[in-house]
Amino acid sequence: MPSADEPADFQLQLERATLDDILLQELSFEQALEQGRIQLHGPHAARQFAHFLTLLDNFDRGFP
């Protein structure tokens, strides 16, 4: 595990409204990136962000 002193592999920047749209499944991370609502910073950020997305689970919003 990286220490707190190590720089992040990449950074992403987005507004709270964009995050809300993603959480409500009205927008995907990919769509937000294409629309310029997410900005990535760092070397190889796009590749690392794509890998990060593969680590996320997809949940059914209608769970009991």
Side-chain angles (χ1 to χ4, degrees):
M1 174 177 276
S3 75
D5 296 335
E6 292 181 45
D9 291 332
F10 72 95
Q11 296 177 343
L12 63 103
Q13 181 178 359
L14 66 156
E15 293 182 3
R16 177 59 198 228
T18 300
L19 180 60
D20 290 343
D21 289 344
I22 292 169
L23 294 174
L24 292 171
Q25 296 181 351
E26 296 173 355
L27 182 72
S28 69
F29 277 107
E30 293 87 353
Q31 291 169 326
L33 191 58
E34 289 171 4
Q35 294 174 11
R37 295 176 64 179
I38 293 178
Q39 294 79 44
L40 299 175
H41 307 283
H44 313 291
R47 183 185 61 180
Q48 291 169 334
F49 183 62
H51 175 69
F52 167 75
L53 292 178
T54 68
L55 303 174
L56 300 178
D57 291 326
N58 292 318
F59 293 97
D60 180 10
R61 288 181 52 198
F63 67 90

